[in-house]
Amino acid sequence: MGEHRNRATAKRDVPVMLAIGLIATLAGIALSFTIDWFPVQASAQADQIDTLWDILIVVSVPVFVIVCCVVGYSVFRFRARPGEEDIDGPPIHGSTKLEVIWTAIPAIVITGLVFYSWGVLRDIEKAPASTTKEMRVIVHGVQFAWTFEYPGIKVAGQPLKSDQLFVPKDESVKFLVKSEDVIHDFWVPAWRMKVDAVPGITTSYRITPTRLGTYPVVCAELCGLGHAFMRQTAHVLEPAAFVAWVAAKRKPAAAAPAAGGTGSGATASVDAKKLFVEGNGTATACGACHTLQGAGTTGQTGPNLNEVLKADTKAQIRTSIVDPQAEIAKGYAGGIMPPNYADSLSAAELDALVNYIYDDAHAG
Ligand code: CUA
């Protein structure tokens, strides 16, 4: 009885299911195109990657939506009615035709996508006409900071190093990515390209920045407690401005005393509380991980500074900032605090921070 009814209705249900699936698919695709998935395109590679994404959306949304519609429709339409609890429904012996169709269609779709993505990958990895002039940047990932080394640019006989990334616009840059501890992932979302930093090997990719400005550099691989703070900034400069930046890096000895020094005058111009709570764009904010009463921060990742520093001298506090491994507070693991504060803070900022933290920790 029940068997009969199900067979008779199934014929009529297929077009209904497909119609619902088709409407839902169009709605799903329309919805997905209203979402702003990516930041601004800032590299020559970004456009092709975004187009690939759009095509993947158009191809994959129908698969997901139609399957959901068929399942949802069937659950509702063919549910057991009162009195049918003990009926098994008609036996199903499979359908060769259906199996051929649902194997062949995905196989064709996947094959097409494989060739298309392969073409995109080949294009975005294409080397520039002259790789000898291409700029190279060695990216070092370490818990929890990125540093950048320019092997082709020498300062006092050493490769130029920077804790922020600077690149000239419209020139191909090849990044050689290394890790000094665990797996990180070097990603500038505005450039789209992304690669793991794996201990023991060097990975790489190249991009051509096409847009001036500053863009976040993030770590895209969970690498420990400070993962979320493993952020830096990429600066894309006009080629002339990049040359000027390199030139300024070549004479830091002349610039440093003016900006730094230990005099109280220089210290007074730094807003230490703001620095503690917000960082300075390069140095991660202390307050992100530490509790300090005066600053009103309640971070739990690192020790409460009012507790652990209340007996410390200013010199000890300074050491704890620039060399966090020197002394690890009881109950905390080492290697979590960024090791680059000596570079990411100016001398004046460091002085101001030491005084500020000392005063607050000794106030109680
Ligand atoms: Cu490094 Cu996440």
Side-chain angles (χ1 to χ4, degrees), residues 199-259:
I201 63 169
T202 301
T203 54
S204 72
Y205 65 72
R206 57 164 49 92
I207 58 106
T208 304
T210 51
R211 200 168 177 281
L212 297 173
T214 56
Y215 306 96
V217 177
V218 305
C219 176
E221 181 67 54
L222 187 59
C223 55
L225 272 179
H227 163 69
F229 305 115
M230 194 165 162
R231 287 170 164 260
Q232 244 98 348
T233 305
H235 303 254
V236 181
L237 307 177
E238 289 288 4
F242 181 78
V243 171
W245 173 73
V246 171
K249 278 280 183 186
R250 288 211 161 107
K251 42 183 177 183

Side-chain angles (χ1 to χ4, degrees), residues 108-133:
I108 293 166
V109 170
I110 297 284
T111 307
L113 288 177
V114 163
F115 278 99
Y116 171 49
S117 337
W118 174 71
V120 170
L121 186 67
R122 193 197 48 190
D123 284 354
I124 61 181
E125 289 187 335
K126 198 176 279 168
S130 160
T131 48
T132 50
K133 279 180 66 187

Side-chain angles (χ1 to χ4, degrees), residues 142-144 146 182-185 219-224 227-228 230:
V142 59
Q143 289 176 318
F144 294 96
W146 297 107
V182 301
I183 301 178
H184 303 277
D185 191 293
C219 176
E221 181 67 54
L222 187 59
C223 55
H227 163 69
M230 194 165 162

